[in-house]
Amino acid sequence: MSLEQWETYYRGGAIATGPAGPDGLYDQEVRRAWVGFFSSLPTDARLLDIATGNGVVPLIALDVARSRGAQWAIEATDLARIDPVHQVPNGAERFAGVRFHPGVATEKLPFEDARFDAVTGHYALEYSDTAAALAQIHRVLKPGGDAQFVIHHADSELLVTARRSLADCDLVLKQVRLYRRVHRLVTMDNVPEAQLKAASDDLVAGIRTVREAHATAEARQPGSGRVFAVAIDAAQKLLASRRVQKPALVGLEVDRAEEELRTSWRRLNDLVEHALDEAAIARLEQQATALGFTLIERHPLHHAGNHLVGWQLAMHRP
């Protein structure tokens, strides 16, 4: 996947994220994990989906409800200022029956005790204070209610790619400082020829280093090195714009391009920091047990047979 696709997968920026079928929803094992969970709920169930993003899990729940002739009341929260009804194509129709609550932290759910038959979260729980979030989830679940979460696995293909992209960002932003070299050259105006040549030679050397890193990445794994390709393309376009725009304006464009990559770096770093390895998922289970959850089960979740995508974690409130 490209860097942009990984970002979308991480932040729920589109309905067609991650392993997706033609309808834009998760498919194969990932979809079956959710369909299986929803298939056991009562026909008049109340559901809560935490950190819902653009509402992929509620859409699957709606599909299951329709197939069973069920009428479920679905609430969906997210700390971000989400608005899937207006941001997703045909959102008003697709999300009929779902109430979204933006700006809501899982650690402070605004619902009364024992309201929901089920609580779900896809790449959600791990981004919270898990002990506080689980306490809230336990509080809002009815006795006899169930919860299921898909959680980032530290060894998943997503995380392997994210760590590789972080290393690529580090080379572009910190080691080569490519955008700073571009900024220096394009903002020069009325300077001695020798100074201009030094800045040009410095940029050429930087681009050469990034090109070599891109070639190495492609040789290692065709299609990788997306960060390098984006950085080189941006540098070339910014240099070309210098011929028709004032130096100060091009300098602002360089700053914006650099900030876009830094934003991607921060998102990827956030992803890596919150993924759970074997020890971390075991600690999460211990937190759930201490709160009174029972029937706790977890196992690695795969897509297309052998692509690890996360942990599947289920628990029950007795």
Side-chain angles (χ1 to χ4, degrees):
M1 279 189 178
S2 69
L3 175 63
E4 292 89 342
Q5 287 171 314
W6 285 128
E7 289 178 44
T8 301
Y9 190 54
Y10 156 62
R11 65 180 185 271
I15 284 297
T17 56
D23 62 354
L25 302 180
Y26 298 117
D27 72 356
Q28 299 188 40
E29 294 95 329
V30 178
R31 182 180 179 86
R32 287 198 295 271
W34 287 116
V35 171
F37 177 76
F38 291 131
S39 295
S40 64
L41 298 181
T43 56
D44 60 347
R46 290 176 177 266
L47 282 63
L48 170 64
D49 187 54
I50 62 168
T52 194
N54 268 359
V56 177
V57 173
L59 284 179
I60 297 175
L62 288 171
D63 282 350
V64 175
R66 281 191 291 268
S67 71
R68 296 180 55 198
Q71 294 290 327
W72 291 342
I74 304 175
E75 312 278 352
T77 63
D78 202 293
L79 186 59
R81 292 292 172 181
I82 57 165
D83 188 8
V85 171
H86 296 98
Q87 294 169 346
V88 172
N90 302 317
E93 178 182 351
R94 298 183 75 182
F95 290 112
V98 180
R99 292 180 58 194
F100 289 97
H101 304 267
V104 172
T106 306
E107 299 90 340
K108 295 182 180 180
L109 295 173
F111 306 109
E112 65 269 21
D113 295 356
R115 177 170 179 175
F116 298 102
D117 297 277
V119 176
T120 58
H122 194 110
Y123 298 154
L125 183 61
E126 63 270 39
Y127 290 101
S128 66
D129 176 337
T130 54
L134 284 170
Q136 284 289 293
I137 291 164
H138 187 275
R139 180 183 65 78
V140 300
L141 266 175
K142 295 178 181 178
D146 293 291
Q148 177 170 280
F149 308 99
V150 173
I151 294 170
H152 280 301
H153 195 302
D155 296 325
S156 70
E157 293 189 13
L158 173 59
L159 268 296
V160 170
T161 299
R163 284 190 286 267
R164 187 181 298 131
S165 293
L166 278 174
D168 295 349
C169 288
D170 184 78
L171 186 143
V172 171
L173 293 171
K174 297 181 181 180
Q175 299 178 43
V176 175
R177 301 182 75 245
L178 182 65
Y179 287 98
R180 293 301 87 204
R181 297 188 192 202
V182 174
H183 191 281
R184 179 188 176 201
L185 180 60
V186 300
T187 55
M188 283 184 168
D189 197 16
N190 297 319
V191 299
E193 185 68 25
Q195 187 176 346
L196 186 64
K197 183 179 185 306
S200 178
D201 290 345
D202 185 53
L203 177 57
V204 168
I207 291 176
R208 183 183 303 115
T209 298
V210 176
R211 284 188 183 279
E212 291 172 354
H214 187 207
T216 299
E218 280 283 344
R220 178 186 62 210
Q221 181 178 351
S224 63
R226 177 65 177 170
V227 171
F228 300 140
V230 169
I232 293 169
D233 181 66
Q236 292 172 335
K237 288 178 178 177
L238 290 164
L239 287 171
S241 68
R242 176 64 176 83
R243 304 190 189 101
V244 295
Q245 293 189 39
K246 294 181 179 180
L249 293 178
V250 182
L252 290 175
E253 291 183 8
V254 175
D255 292 342
R256 282 193 290 269
E258 181 175 10
E259 182 55 31
E260 286 179 4
L261 185 56
R262 290 189 180 277
T263 298
S264 297
W265 180 91
R266 287 191 288 269
R267 288 170 176 156
L268 290 166
N269 191 62
D270 194 34
L271 166 62
V272 170
E273 288 183 349
H274 288 91
L276 304 188
D277 58 15
E278 186 80 29
I281 194 72
R283 287 193 294 272
L284 185 59
E285 291 181 67
Q286 291 171 358
Q287 291 174 339
T289 299
L291 287 165
F293 283 105
T294 61
L295 305 178
I296 300 171
E297 297 182 0
R298 54 99 169 180
H299 58 81
L301 181 62
H302 294 80
H303 171 69
N306 61 350
H307 299 286
L308 179 62
V309 295
W311 297 104
Q312 182 180 349
L313 176 66
M315 58 189 70
H316 175 78
R317 180 187 173 181

